[in-house]
Coordinates of all heavy atoms in Angstrom, one line a residue:
M1 N 0.8 -1.2 0.0 CA 0.0 0.0 0.0 C 0.9 1.2 0.0 O 1.9 1.3 0.6 CB -0.9 0.1 1.3 CG -1.9 -1.0 1.4 SD -3.4 -0.5 0.7 CE -4.5 -1.9 1.2
G2 N 0.4 2.3 -0.6 CA 1.1 3.5 -0.6 C 2.3 3.6 -1.4 O 2.9 4.7 -1.5
T3 N 2.7 2.5 -2.0 CA 3.9 2.6 -2.9 C 3.5 3.0 -4.3 O 2.4 2.8 -4.7 CB 4.7 1.3 -3.0 OG1 3.7 0.3 -3.4 CG2 5.2 0.9 -1.6
A4 N 4.4 3.7 -5.0 CA 4.1 4.1 -6.3 C 4.0 2.9 -7.3 O 4.6 1.9 -7.1 CB 5.3 5.0 -6.8
E5 N 3.2 3.1 -8.3 CA 3.0 2.1 -9.3 C 4.3 1.9 -10.1 O 4.9 2.8 -10.6 CB 1.9 2.4 -10.3 CG 1.6 1.3 -11.3 CD 0.4 1.6 -12.2 OE1 -0.2 2.6 -12.0 OE2 0.1 0.7 -13.0
P6 N 4.8 0.6 -10.1 CA 6.1 0.4 -10.9 C 5.7 0.5 -12.4 O 4.6 0.6 -12.8 CB 6.4 -1.1 -10.6 CG 5.2 -1.7 -10.1 CD 4.3 -0.6 -9.6
P7 N 6.8 0.6 -13.2 CA 6.5 0.7 -14.7 C 5.5 -0.3 -15.2 O 5.6 -1.5 -14.9 CB 7.9 0.4 -15.3 CG 8.9 0.7 -14.2 CD 8.2 0.4 -12.9
A8 N 4.4 0.2 -15.7 CA 3.3 -0.7 -16.1 C 3.4 -1.2 -17.5 O 4.0 -0.5 -18.4 CB 2.0 0.1 -16.0
P9 N 3.0 -2.4 -17.8 CA 3.0 -3.0 -19.2 C 2.1 -2.1 -20.0 O 1.2 -1.4 -19.5 CB 2.5 -4.4 -19.0 CG 2.6 -4.7 -17.5 CD 2.5 -3.4 -16.8
V10 N 2.2 -2.3 -21.3 CA 1.3 -1.6 -22.3 C -0.1 -2.1 -22.0 O -0.3 -3.3 -21.5 CB 1.7 -1.8 -23.7 CG1 3.1 -1.2 -24.0 CG2 1.7 -3.2 -24.2
P11 N -1.1 -1.3 -22.3 CA -2.5 -1.7 -22.0 C -2.9 -3.1 -22.4 O -3.6 -3.8 -21.7 CB -3.3 -0.6 -22.7 CG -2.4 0.6 -22.6 CD -1.1 0.1 -22.8
A12 N -2.6 -3.5 -23.7 CA -3.0 -4.8 -24.2 C -2.4 -5.9 -23.3 O -3.0 -6.9 -23.0 CB -2.5 -5.0 -25.6
R13 N -1.1 -5.7 -22.9 CA -0.5 -6.7 -22.0 C -1.1 -6.7 -20.6 O -1.2 -7.7 -20.0 CB 1.0 -6.4 -22.0 CG 1.9 -7.4 -21.2 CD 1.8 -8.8 -21.8 NE 2.6 -9.8 -20.9 CZ 2.3 -11.1 -20.8 NH1 1.3 -11.6 -21.4 NH2 3.1 -11.8 -20.0
Q14 N -1.4 -5.5 -20.1 CA -2.1 -5.4 -18.8 C -3.4 -6.3 -18.8 O -3.7 -7.0 -17.9 CB -2.5 -4.0 -18.5 CG -1.3 -3.1 -18.1 CD -1.8 -1.7 -17.6 OE1 -2.9 -1.6 -17.1 NE2 -0.9 -0.7 -17.8
A15 N -4.1 -6.2 -20.0 CA -5.4 -6.9 -20.1 C -5.1 -8.4 -20.0 O -5.8 -9.1 -19.4 CB -6.1 -6.5 -21.3
E16 N -4.0 -8.8 -20.7 CA -3.7 -10.3 -20.7 C -3.3 -10.7 -19.3 O -3.7 -11.8 -18.8 CB -2.5 -10.5 -21.6 CG -2.8 -10.5 -23.1 CD -1.5 -10.7 -23.9 OE1 -0.4 -11.0 -23.4 OE2 -1.7 -10.5 -25.2
L17 N -2.5 -9.9 -18.6 CA -2.1 -10.3 -17.2 C -3.3 -10.3 -16.3 O -3.4 -11.2 -15.4 CB -1.0 -9.3 -16.7 CG 0.3 -9.4 -17.4 CD1 1.2 -8.2 -17.1 CD2 1.0 -10.7 -17.1
M18 N -4.2 -9.4 -16.4 CA -5.4 -9.4 -15.6 C -6.3 -10.6 -15.9 O -6.9 -11.2 -14.9 CB -6.2 -8.1 -15.8 CG -5.5 -6.8 -15.3 SD -5.0 -6.8 -13.6 CE -6.5 -6.2 -12.8
H19 N -6.3 -11.0 -17.1 CA -7.1 -12.2 -17.5 C -6.4 -13.4 -16.8 O -7.1 -14.3 -16.3 CB -7.1 -12.3 -19.0 CG -7.8 -13.5 -19.5 ND1 -9.2 -13.5 -19.6 CD2 -7.4 -14.8 -19.9 CE1 -9.6 -14.7 -20.0 NE2 -8.6 -15.5 -20.2
L20 N -5.1 -13.5 -16.9 CA -4.3 -14.6 -16.3 C -4.6 -14.6 -14.8 O -4.8 -15.7 -14.2 CB -2.8 -14.3 -16.5 CG -1.8 -15.4 -16.0 CD1 -1.6 -16.5 -16.9 CD2 -0.5 -14.7 -15.6
L21 N -4.6 -13.4 -14.2 CA -4.9 -13.4 -12.7 C -6.2 -13.9 -12.4 O -6.4 -14.7 -11.4 CB -4.8 -11.9 -12.3 CG -4.7 -11.6 -10.8 CD1 -3.5 -12.2 -10.2 CD2 -4.6 -10.0 -10.6
R22 N -7.3 -13.6 -13.2 CA -8.6 -14.1 -12.9 C -8.7 -15.6 -13.1 O -9.2 -16.3 -12.3 CB -9.6 -13.3 -13.7 CG -10.1 -12.0 -13.1 CD -11.3 -11.4 -13.8 NE -11.0 -11.2 -15.2 CZ -10.5 -10.0 -15.6 NH1 -10.2 -9.1 -14.8 NH2 -10.2 -9.8 -16.9
Q23 N -8.2 -16.0 -14.3 CA -8.4 -17.4 -14.7 C -7.5 -18.3 -14.1 O -7.9 -19.3 -13.4 CB -8.2 -17.5 -16.3 CG -9.2 -16.7 -17.1 CD -10.7 -17.1 -16.8 OE1 -11.0 -18.2 -16.8 NE2 -11.5 -16.1 -16.6
D24 N -6.2 -18.1 -14.2 CA -5.2 -19.1 -13.8 C -4.9 -19.0 -12.3 O -4.9 -20.0 -11.6 CB -3.9 -18.9 -14.6 CG -4.1 -19.2 -16.1 OD1 -4.8 -18.5 -16.7 OD2 -3.5 -20.2 -16.6
C25 N -4.6 -17.8 -11.9 CA -4.3 -17.6 -10.4 C -5.6 -17.8 -9.7 O -5.6 -18.5 -8.6 CB -3.8 -16.2 -10.1 SG -2.5 -15.6 -11.3
G26 N -6.7 -17.4 -10.2 CA -8.0 -17.5 -9.6 C -8.4 -19.0 -9.4 O -9.1 -19.3 -8.4
A27 N -7.9 -19.9 -10.2 CA -8.2 -21.3 -10.1 C -7.8 -21.9 -8.7 O -8.5 -22.7 -8.1 CB -7.6 -22.1 -11.2
C28 N -6.7 -21.4 -8.2 CA -6.2 -21.8 -6.9 C -6.4 -20.8 -5.8 O -6.7 -21.2 -4.7 CB -4.7 -22.1 -7.0 SG -4.3 -23.6 -7.8
H29 N -6.3 -19.5 -6.1 CA -6.4 -18.5 -5.1 C -7.8 -18.0 -4.9 O -8.1 -17.2 -4.0 CB -5.4 -17.4 -5.4 CG -4.0 -17.8 -5.2 ND1 -3.4 -17.9 -4.0 CD2 -3.1 -18.2 -6.1 CE1 -2.2 -18.3 -4.1 NE2 -1.9 -18.5 -5.4
G30 N -8.8 -18.4 -5.8 CA -10.2 -18.0 -5.7 C -10.4 -16.7 -6.6 O -9.5 -15.9 -6.8
M31 N -11.6 -16.6 -7.2 CA -12.0 -15.5 -8.1 C -11.7 -14.2 -7.4 O -11.4 -13.2 -8.0 CB -13.4 -15.6 -8.4 CG -13.7 -16.6 -9.5 SD -13.3 -15.9 -11.1 CE -14.7 -14.8 -11.4
T32 N -12.0 -14.1 -6.1 CA -11.8 -12.8 -5.4 C -10.6 -12.9 -4.5 O -10.5 -12.2 -3.5 CB -13.1 -12.4 -4.6 OG1 -13.4 -13.5 -3.7 CG2 -14.3 -12.2 -5.5
R33 N -9.7 -13.9 -4.8 CA -8.4 -14.0 -4.1 C -8.5 -14.3 -2.6 O -7.5 -14.0 -1.9 CB -7.6 -12.8 -4.4 CG -7.3 -12.5 -5.9 CD -6.8 -11.2 -6.2 NE -7.5 -10.1 -5.5 CZ -8.7 -9.7 -5.8 NH1 -9.3 -10.2 -6.9 NH2 -9.3 -8.8 -5.2
Q34 N -9.6 -14.8 -2.2 CA -9.8 -15.1 -0.8 C -9.1 -16.4 -0.4 O -9.1 -16.8 0.8 CB -11.3 -15.2 -0.4 CG -12.1 -14.0 -0.7 CD -11.8 -12.8 0.2 OE1 -11.3 -13.0 1.3 NE2 -12.1 -11.6 -0.3
G35 N -8.6 -17.2 -1.4 CA -7.9 -18.4 -1.1 C -8.8 -19.6 -1.5 O -10.0 -19.5 -1.7
G36 N -8.1 -20.7 -1.6 CA -8.8 -22.0 -2.0 C -7.7 -23.0 -1.8 O -7.2 -23.2 -0.7
L37 N -7.3 -23.7 -2.9 CA -6.1 -24.5 -2.8 C -4.9 -23.7 -2.5 O -4.0 -24.1 -1.7 CB -5.9 -25.2 -4.2 CG -4.6 -26.1 -4.4 CD1 -4.5 -27.2 -3.3 CD2 -4.5 -26.6 -5.8
G38 N -4.8 -22.5 -3.0 CA -3.8 -21.5 -2.7 C -4.2 -20.6 -1.5 O -5.4 -20.5 -1.2
S39 N -3.2 -20.0 -0.9 CA -3.5 -19.1 0.2 C -4.2 -17.8 -0.3 O -4.2 -17.5 -1.5 CB -2.2 -18.7 0.9 OG -1.2 -18.4 -0.1
P40 N -4.8 -17.0 0.6 CA -5.4 -15.8 0.2 C -4.4 -14.8 -0.3 O -3.3 -14.7 0.3 CB -6.0 -15.2 1.5 CG -6.1 -16.4 2.5 CD -5.0 -17.3 2.0
I41 N -4.7 -14.1 -1.4 CA -3.7 -13.1 -1.9 C -4.4 -11.8 -2.1 O -4.2 -11.1 -3.1 CB -3.0 -13.6 -3.2 CG1 -4.0 -14.1 -4.3 CG2 -2.0 -14.7 -3.0 CD1 -3.4 -14.3 -5.7
T42 N -5.3 -11.5 -1.2 CA -6.0 -10.2 -1.1 C -4.9 -9.1 -0.7 O -3.9 -9.4 -0.1 CB -7.1 -10.2 -0.1 OG1 -6.6 -10.6 1.1 CG2 -8.2 -11.1 -0.5
A43 N -5.3 -7.8 -0.9 CA -4.4 -6.7 -0.5 C -4.2 -6.9 1.0 O -3.0 -6.7 1.5 CB -5.1 -5.4 -0.8
Q44 N -5.2 -7.2 1.8 CA -5.0 -7.4 3.2 C -4.1 -8.5 3.6 O -3.2 -8.3 4.4 CB -6.4 -7.7 3.8 CG -6.5 -7.5 5.3 CD -7.9 -7.9 5.9 OE1 -8.7 -8.4 5.1 NE2 -8.1 -7.6 7.1
A45 N -4.2 -9.7 2.9 CA -3.4 -10.8 3.2 C -1.9 -10.5 2.9 O -1.0 -11.1 3.5 CB -3.9 -12.0 2.4
L46 N -1.7 -9.7 1.8 CA -0.3 -9.5 1.4 C 0.3 -8.2 2.0 O 1.5 -7.9 1.7 CB -0.3 -9.4 -0.1 CG -0.8 -10.6 -0.9 CD1 -0.6 -10.4 -2.4 CD2 0.0 -11.9 -0.5
A47 N -0.5 -7.5 2.8 CA 0.0 -6.2 3.2 C 1.4 -6.2 3.9 O 2.2 -5.3 3.6 CB -1.0 -5.6 4.2
D48 N 1.6 -7.2 4.7 CA 2.9 -7.2 5.4 C 4.0 -8.1 4.7 O 5.0 -8.3 5.3 CB 2.8 -7.6 6.9 CG 2.2 -8.9 7.0 OD1 1.8 -9.6 6.0 OD2 2.0 -9.4 8.2
R49 N 3.7 -8.5 3.5 CA 4.7 -9.3 2.8 C 5.6 -8.4 2.0 O 5.1 -7.6 1.2 CB 4.0 -10.3 1.8 CG 3.1 -11.3 2.5 CD 3.8 -12.5 2.9 NE 2.9 -13.6 3.2 CZ 2.1 -13.7 4.2 NH1 2.1 -12.7 5.1 NH2 1.3 -14.7 4.4
P50 N 6.9 -8.6 2.1 CA 7.8 -7.8 1.2 C 7.6 -8.1 -0.3 O 7.4 -9.2 -0.7 CB 9.2 -8.3 1.6 CG 9.0 -9.1 2.9 CD 7.6 -9.6 2.9
E51 N 7.6 -7.0 -1.0 CA 7.3 -7.1 -2.5 C 8.3 -8.1 -3.2 O 7.9 -8.9 -4.0 CB 7.5 -5.7 -3.1 CG 6.2 -4.9 -3.0 CD 6.4 -3.5 -3.4 OE1 7.1 -3.2 -4.4 OE2 5.8 -2.6 -2.7
D52 N 9.6 -7.9 -2.8 CA 10.6 -8.8 -3.5 C 10.3 -10.2 -3.3 O 10.5 -11.0 -4.2 CB 12.0 -8.5 -3.0 CG 12.5 -7.1 -3.4 OD1 11.8 -6.5 -4.3 OD2 13.5 -6.7 -2.9
S53 N 9.9 -10.6 -2.1 CA 9.6 -12.1 -1.9 C 8.4 -12.5 -2.7 O 8.3 -13.7 -3.1 CB 9.6 -12.4 -0.4 OG 8.3 -12.3 0.1
L54 N 7.4 -11.6 -2.8 CA 6.2 -12.0 -3.5 C 6.5 -12.1 -5.0 O 6.0 -13.1 -5.7 CB 5.1 -11.0 -3.3 CG 4.5 -10.9 -1.9 CD1 3.6 -9.7 -1.8 CD2 3.9 -12.2 -1.5
V55 N 7.4 -11.2 -5.5 CA 7.8 -11.3 -6.9 C 8.5 -12.6 -7.2 O 8.2 -13.3 -8.1 CB 8.7 -10.1 -7.3 CG1 9.3 -10.3 -8.7 CG2 7.9 -8.8 -7.2
A56 N 9.4 -13.0 -6.2 CA 10.2 -14.2 -6.4 C 9.2 -15.4 -6.3 O 9.4 -16.4 -7.1 CB 11.2 -14.3 -5.3
T57 N 8.2 -15.4 -5.4 CA 7.3 -16.5 -5.3 C 6.5 -16.7 -6.6 O 6.4 -17.8 -7.1 CB 6.3 -16.3 -4.2 OG1 7.0 -16.3 -2.9 CG2 5.2 -17.3 -4.2
I58 N 6.1 -15.6 -7.2 CA 5.4 -15.7 -8.5 C 6.3 -16.2 -9.6 O 5.9 -17.1 -10.4 CB 4.7 -14.3 -8.9 CG1 3.7 -14.0 -7.9 CG2 4.2 -14.4 -10.3 CD1 3.1 -12.6 -8.1
L59 N 7.5 -15.7 -9.7 CA 8.4 -16.1 -10.8 C 8.9 -17.6 -10.6 O 8.9 -18.3 -11.6 CB 9.6 -15.2 -10.9 CG 9.2 -13.8 -11.4 CD1 10.5 -12.9 -11.3 CD2 8.7 -13.8 -12.8
Q60 N 9.2 -17.9 -9.4 CA 9.8 -19.2 -9.2 C 8.9 -20.3 -8.6 O 9.3 -21.4 -8.5 CB 11.0 -19.0 -8.2 CG 12.2 -18.3 -8.9 CD 13.0 -17.5 -8.0 OE1 13.2 -17.9 -6.8 NE2 13.5 -16.3 -8.4
G61 N 7.7 -19.9 -8.1 CA 6.8 -20.8 -7.5 C 7.4 -21.1 -6.1 O 8.4 -20.5 -5.6
R62 N 6.7 -22.0 -5.4 CA 7.2 -22.5 -4.1 C 7.4 -24.0 -4.1 O 6.4 -24.7 -4.1 CB 6.1 -22.1 -3.0 CG 6.0 -20.7 -2.6 CD 6.5 -20.4 -1.2 NE 6.4 -18.9 -1.0 CZ 5.5 -18.3 -0.3 NH1 4.5 -19.0 0.2 NH2 5.6 -17.0 -0.1
P63 N 8.6 -24.4 -4.3 CA 8.9 -25.8 -4.3 C 8.3 -26.5 -3.2 O 8.3 -26.0 -2.0 CB 10.4 -25.9 -4.3 CG 10.9 -24.6 -4.8 CD 9.8 -23.6 -4.3
G64 N 7.7 -27.7 -3.4 CA 7.1 -28.5 -2.4 C 5.6 -28.1 -2.1 O 5.0 -28.7 -1.2
T65 N 5.1 -27.0 -2.8 CA 3.7 -26.7 -2.7 C 3.1 -26.7 -4.1 O 3.8 -26.9 -5.1 CB 3.5 -25.3 -2.1 OG1 3.8 -24.3 -3.1 CG2 4.4 -25.0 -0.9
A66 N 1.8 -26.4 -4.2 CA 1.1 -26.4 -5.5 C 1.5 -25.1 -6.3 O 1.1 -25.0 -7.5 CB -0.4 -26.5 -5.3
M67 N 2.1 -24.1 -5.7 CA 2.4 -22.9 -6.4 C 3.4 -23.1 -7.5 O 4.6 -23.3 -7.2 CB 2.9 -21.8 -5.3 CG 3.2 -20.5 -6.0 SD 1.8 -19.6 -6.8 CE 2.6 -18.2 -7.4
P68 N 3.0 -22.9 -8.7 CA 3.9 -23.2 -9.9 C 4.7 -21.9 -10.2 O 4.3 -20.8 -9.8 CB 3.0 -23.6 -11.0 CG 1.7 -22.8 -10.7 CD 1.6 -22.6 -9.2
P69 N 5.8 -22.1 -10.9 CA 6.6 -21.0 -11.4 C 6.0 -20.3 -12.6 O 5.6 -21.0 -13.5 CB 8.0 -21.6 -11.7 CG 7.7 -23.0 -12.0 CD 6.5 -23.4 -11.3
W70 N 5.9 -19.0 -12.6 CA 5.2 -18.3 -13.8 C 6.3 -17.6 -14.7 O 5.9 -16.9 -15.6 CB 4.2 -17.3 -13.2 CG 3.1 -18.0 -12.6 CD1 3.0 -18.4 -11.2 CD2 1.9 -18.6 -13.2 NE1 1.9 -19.1 -11.0 CE2 1.2 -19.3 -12.2 CE3 1.4 -18.6 -14.5 CZ2 0.0 -19.9 -12.4 CZ3 0.2 -19.3 -14.7 CH2 -0.5 -19.9 -13.7
Q71 N 7.5 -17.9 -14.4 CA 8.6 -17.3 -15.2 C 8.5 -17.5 -16.7 O 8.8 -16.6 -17.4 CB 9.9 -18.0 -14.7 CG 11.1 -17.2 -14.8 CD 12.1 -17.5 -13.7 OE1 12.6 -16.6 -13.0 NE2 12.3 -18.8 -13.4
P72 N 8.0 -18.7 -17.1 CA 7.8 -18.8 -18.6 C 6.8 -17.9 -19.2 O 6.8 -17.7 -20.4 CB 7.4 -20.3 -18.8 CG 7.7 -21.0 -17.5 CD 7.6 -19.9 -16.4
F73 N 5.9 -17.3 -18.4 CA 4.7 -16.6 -18.9 C 4.8 -15.1 -18.6 O 3.9 -14.4 -19.1 CB 3.5 -17.2 -18.3 CG 3.3 -18.7 -18.4 CD1 3.6 -19.5 -17.4 CD2 3.0 -19.2 -19.7 CE1 3.5 -20.9 -17.6 CE2 2.9 -20.6 -19.9 CZ 3.2 -21.4 -18.8
M74 N 5.7 -14.7 -17.8 CA 5.8 -13.2 -17.6 C 7.3 -12.8 -17.2 O 8.0 -13.6 -16.8 CB 4.9 -12.8 -16.5 CG 5.2 -13.4 -15.1 SD 4.0 -12.8 -13.9 CE 2.6 -13.9 -14.2
T75 N 7.5 -11.5 -17.5 CA 8.9 -11.0 -17.1 C 8.9 -10.6 -15.7 O 7.8 -10.4 -15.0 CB 9.2 -9.8 -18.0 OG1 8.3 -8.7 -17.6 CG2 9.0 -10.0 -19.5
P76 N 10.1 -10.4 -15.1 CA 10.2 -9.9 -13.7 C 9.5 -8.6 -13.6 O 8.8 -8.4 -12.5 CB 11.7 -9.8 -13.5 CG 12.3 -10.8 -14.4 CD 11.4 -10.9 -15.6
A77 N 9.5 -7.7 -14.5 CA 8.9 -6.4 -14.4 C 7.4 -6.6 -14.4 O 6.7 -5.9 -13.6 CB 9.3 -5.5 -15.6
E78 N 6.9 -7.6 -15.2 CA 5.4 -7.8 -15.2 C 5.0 -8.4 -13.8 O 3.9 -8.1 -13.3 CB 5.1 -8.7 -16.3 CG 5.2 -8.0 -17.7 CD 5.1 -8.9 -18.9 OE1 5.1 -10.2 -18.7 OE2 4.9 -8.4 -20.0
A79 N 5.8 -9.3 -13.3 CA 5.5 -9.9 -12.0 C 5.5 -8.8 -10.9 O 4.6 -8.8 -10.0 CB 6.5 -11.0 -11.6
R80 N 6.4 -7.9 -11.0 CA 6.4 -6.8 -10.0 C 5.2 -5.9 -10.1 O 4.6 -5.5 -9.1 CB 7.7 -5.9 -10.2 CG 7.9 -4.9 -9.2 CD 9.4 -4.4 -9.2 NE 10.3 -5.4 -8.8 CZ 10.6 -5.8 -7.5 NH1 10.0 -5.1 -6.5 NH2 11.4 -6.7 -7.3
W81 N 4.7 -5.7 -11.4 CA 3.5 -4.9 -11.6 C 2.3 -5.6 -11.0 O 1.5 -5.0 -10.3 CB 3.3 -4.6 -13.1 CG 2.1 -3.8 -13.3 CD1 1.9 -2.4 -13.1 CD2 0.8 -4.2 -13.8 NE1 0.7 -2.0 -13.5 CE2 0.0 -3.1 -13.9 CE3 0.4 -5.5 -14.2 CZ2 -1.3 -3.3 -14.4 CZ3 -0.9 -5.6 -14.7 CH2 -1.8 -4.5 -14.8
L82 N 2.3 -7.0 -11.2 CA 1.1 -7.8 -10.7 C 1.1 -7.7 -9.1 O 0.0 -7.6 -8.5 CB 1.3 -9.2 -11.1 CG 0.5 -9.7 -12.4 CD1 0.6 -11.2 -12.5 CD2 -1.0 -9.2 -12.4
V83 N 2.3 -7.8 -8.5 CA 2.3 -7.7 -7.1 C 1.8 -6.3 -6.6 O 1.0 -6.2 -5.7 CB 3.8 -7.9 -6.5 CG1 3.9 -7.4 -5.1 CG2 4.2 -9.3 -6.7
W84 N 2.1 -5.3 -7.3 CA 1.6 -3.9 -7.0 C 0.0 -3.9 -7.2 O -0.7 -3.4 -6.3 CB 2.2 -2.9 -7.9 CG 1.7 -1.5 -7.6 CD1 2.2 -0.6 -6.6 CD2 0.6 -0.8 -8.2 NE1 1.5 0.5 -6.6 CE2 0.5 0.4 -7.6 CE3 -0.2 -1.1 -9.3 CZ2 -0.4 1.4 -8.0 CZ3 -1.2 -0.2 -9.6 CH2 -1.3 1.0 -9.0
V85 N -0.4 -4.5 -8.2 CA -1.9 -4.6 -8.5 C -2.6 -5.4 -7.3 O -3.6 -4.9 -6.7 CB -2.2 -5.4 -9.8 CG1 -3.6 -5.8 -9.9 CG2 -1.8 -4.5 -11.0
L86 N -2.0 -6.5 -6.9 CA -2.5 -7.3 -5.8 C -2.5 -6.5 -4.5 O -3.5 -6.5 -3.7 CB -1.8 -8.6 -5.6 CG -2.0 -9.7 -6.7 CD1 -1.0 -10.8 -6.6 CD2 -3.4 -10.2 -6.7
K87 N -1.4 -5.9 -4.2 CA -1.2 -5.2 -2.9 C -2.2 -4.0 -2.8 O -2.5 -3.5 -1.8 CB 0.2 -4.7 -2.7 CG 1.1 -5.8 -2.0 CD 2.5 -5.2 -1.8 CE 3.3 -6.0 -0.9 NZ 3.1 -5.8 0.5
N88 N -2.5 -3.4 -4.0 CA -3.3 -2.2 -4.0 C -4.8 -2.5 -4.5 O -5.6 -1.6 -4.5 CB -2.7 -1.2 -4.9 CG -1.4 -0.6 -4.3 OD1 -1.5 0.3 -3.6 ND2 -0.3 -1.2 -4.7
G89 N -5.0 -3.8 -4.8 CA -6.4 -4.1 -5.2 C -6.8 -3.4 -6.5 O -8.0 -3.2 -6.7
K90 N -5.9 -2.9 -7.3 CA -6.2 -2.1 -8.5 C -7.0 -2.8 -9.5 O -6.5 -3.8 -10.0 CB -4.9 -1.5 -9.0 CG -5.2 -0.4 -10.1 CD -4.0 -0.3 -11.1 CE -4.5 0.4 -12.3 NZ -3.5 0.3 -13.4
G91 N -8.2 -2.4 -9.8 CA -9.0 -2.9 -10.9 C -9.4 -4.4 -10.6 O -9.8 -5.1 -11.5
L92 N -9.4 -4.8 -9.3 CA -9.8 -6.1 -9.0 C -11.2 -6.1 -8.4 O -11.6 -5.2 -7.7 CB -8.8 -6.7 -8.0 CG -7.4 -6.9 -8.6 CD1 -6.4 -7.3 -7.5 CD2 -7.3 -7.8 -9.7
P93 N -12.0 -7.2 -8.6 CA -13.3 -7.3 -8.0 C -13.2 -7.5 -6.4 O -12.2 -7.9 -5.9 CB -13.9 -8.6 -8.6 CG -12.8 -9.4 -9.0 CD -11.7 -8.4 -9.4
Ligands
HEC1 C1 -2.0 -24.8 -8.9 C2 -2.4 -23.8 -7.8 C3 -1.9 -22.4 -7.9 C4 -1.9 -21.5 -9.0 C5 -2.4 -21.8 -10.4 C6 -1.3 -20.3 -8.5 N1 -1.0 -20.4 -7.2 FE1 -0.1 -19.0 -6.0 N2 0.1 -20.3 -4.5 C7 -0.5 -21.5 -4.5 C8 -0.2 -22.1 -3.1 C9 -0.6 -23.5 -2.7 C10 0.5 -21.2 -2.4 C11 1.0 -21.2 -0.9 C12 2.3 -21.9 -0.9 C13 2.8 -22.1 0.5 O1 2.2 -22.8 1.2 O2 3.8 -21.4 0.9 C14 0.6 -20.0 -3.3 C15 1.2 -18.8 -2.9 C16 1.2 -17.7 -3.6 C17 1.7 -16.4 -3.2 C18 2.4 -16.1 -1.8 C19 1.4 -15.6 -0.8 C20 2.0 -15.3 0.5 O3 1.2 -15.1 1.4 O4 3.2 -15.3 0.7 C21 1.5 -15.5 -4.1 C22 1.8 -14.0 -4.1 C23 0.9 -16.2 -5.2 N3 0.7 -17.5 -4.9 C24 0.5 -15.6 -6.4 C25 0.0 -16.3 -7.5 C26 -0.3 -15.7 -8.8 C27 -0.1 -14.2 -9.1 C28 -0.7 -16.7 -9.6 C29 -1.0 -16.6 -11.0 C30 0.0 -16.0 -11.9 C31 -0.8 -17.9 -8.8 N4 -0.3 -17.6 -7.5 C32 -1.2 -19.1 -9.3 C33 -1.1 -22.2 -5.5 C34 -1.3 -21.7 -6.8

């Protein structure tokens, strides 16, 4: 919260990432990110998590858990922008 938005992807790519968030991430973390197979990833749940570690979790996954690595599907800058979106609830239901 309260941090500046990092460099944002172009609008078409933002739309793709938001789609990924709803469909793919939502499959485990829930449509409204309240959790399911995956832990809650609401702004509230992530408030005290350091951004760098969340970016690393998204890119590399969490070995030994169901959280897969998303590195093949997004750049580090895009993962950082997604973390900002999640932490700020920007454009999310
Ligand atoms: C196949 C199920 C699955 C999918 C798909 C998935 N996750 Fe996860 N995710 C998990 C699980 C399970 C954990 C908890 C791992 C643990 O126990 O540490 C997790 C953890 C996380 C965390 C860390 C939360 C914290 O409190 O530290 C973040 C952030 C996260 N996922 C984001 C995402 C994003 C963004 C996507 C889509 C690009 C995604 N996840 C897709 C299962 C999934």
Side-chain angles (χ1 to χ4, degrees):
M1 293 266 189
T3 54
E5 183 172 3
V10 297
R13 182 62 182 151
Q14 283 188 32
E16 283 175 10
L17 290 168
M18 294 303 273
H19 182 80
L20 180 88
L21 193 58
R22 275 191 300 273
Q23 300 298 314
D24 296 66
C25 315
C28 284
H29 290 281
M31 280 281 284
T32 55
R33 300 167 313 286
Q34 305 287 338
L37 174 59
S39 47
I41 52 169
T42 54
Q44 195 184 8
L46 300 182
D48 60 357
R49 298 274 197 287
E51 276 166 43
D52 288 351
S53 92
L54 295 174
V55 171
T57 294
I58 292 173
L59 291 173
Q60 290 150 36
R62 289 244 175 103
T65 77
M67 177 63 182
W70 295 91
Q71 212 146 227
F73 307 103
M74 66 181 76
T75 67
E78 288 170 348
R80 188 162 294 277
W81 180 76
L82 266 187
V83 164
W84 181 85
V85 165
L86 289 169
K87 272 183 168 277
N88 290 274
K90 190 206 162 192
L92 299 172

